[in-house]
Amino acid sequence: MNSLFKQQVFEIIRLVPEGRVTSYGAIAKAVGYPKHARHVGNALRSYDEDFPAHRVCNSSGRITASCLAGFTEKLNREGVAVRGDKIQNFKIIFWNPVEEL
């Protein structure tokens, strides 16, 4: 993973609208590396407090980040329901950067 990859990942995540979520894999595909979902997750190990990392989950709508409680709280404030670690209505609120950009 290089700095350009991380920069592109962060640019896309900043575009995810409030109240919507996307996946690591969708972001990887959007930056041209469809098999690098784990690298997207690795890029998200460090970010600013106001960065919308909470809007990124795995391909089945589960929050896999270690800060589950914080992400759940932020998503709830945006109107996104989370039960346990699962985002409710995931398919409905999913934001696909390949289609949206």
Side-chain angles (χ1 to χ4, degrees):
M1 173 180 67
N2 62 33
S3 61
L4 178 59
F5 177 85
K6 184 174 180 178
Q7 178 184 356
Q8 291 172 329
V9 164
F10 276 50
E11 285 177 12
I12 289 177
I13 294 171
R14 284 186 189 95
L15 296 173
V16 179
E18 188 173 307
R20 305 281 301 275
V21 295
T22 193
S23 68
Y24 301 107
I27 293 169
K29 190 173 187 178
V31 298
Y33 294 91
K35 297 182 187 268
H36 287 77
R38 285 185 193 267
H39 291 292
V40 173
N42 289 335
L44 288 172
R45 290 183 183 207
S46 175
Y47 51 85
D48 294 332
E49 178 63 30
D50 62 341
F51 185 74
H54 60 282
R55 296 180 188 150
V56 184
C57 61
N58 73 14
S59 62
S60 62
R62 295 198 180 281
I63 301 170
T64 56
S66 60
C67 40
L68 176 63
F71 278 21
T72 299
E73 181 181 325
K74 288 179 179 184
L75 287 167
N76 284 332
R77 277 190 258 142
E78 294 183 6
V80 176
V82 180
R83 185 173 299 134
D85 65 351
K86 177 82 169 141
I87 295 170
Q88 304 300 293
N89 301 312
F90 174 66
K91 290 182 180 181
I92 295 169
I93 64 170
F94 181 74
W95 184 80
N96 187 340
V98 173
E99 295 175 1
E100 301 286 340
L101 299 177

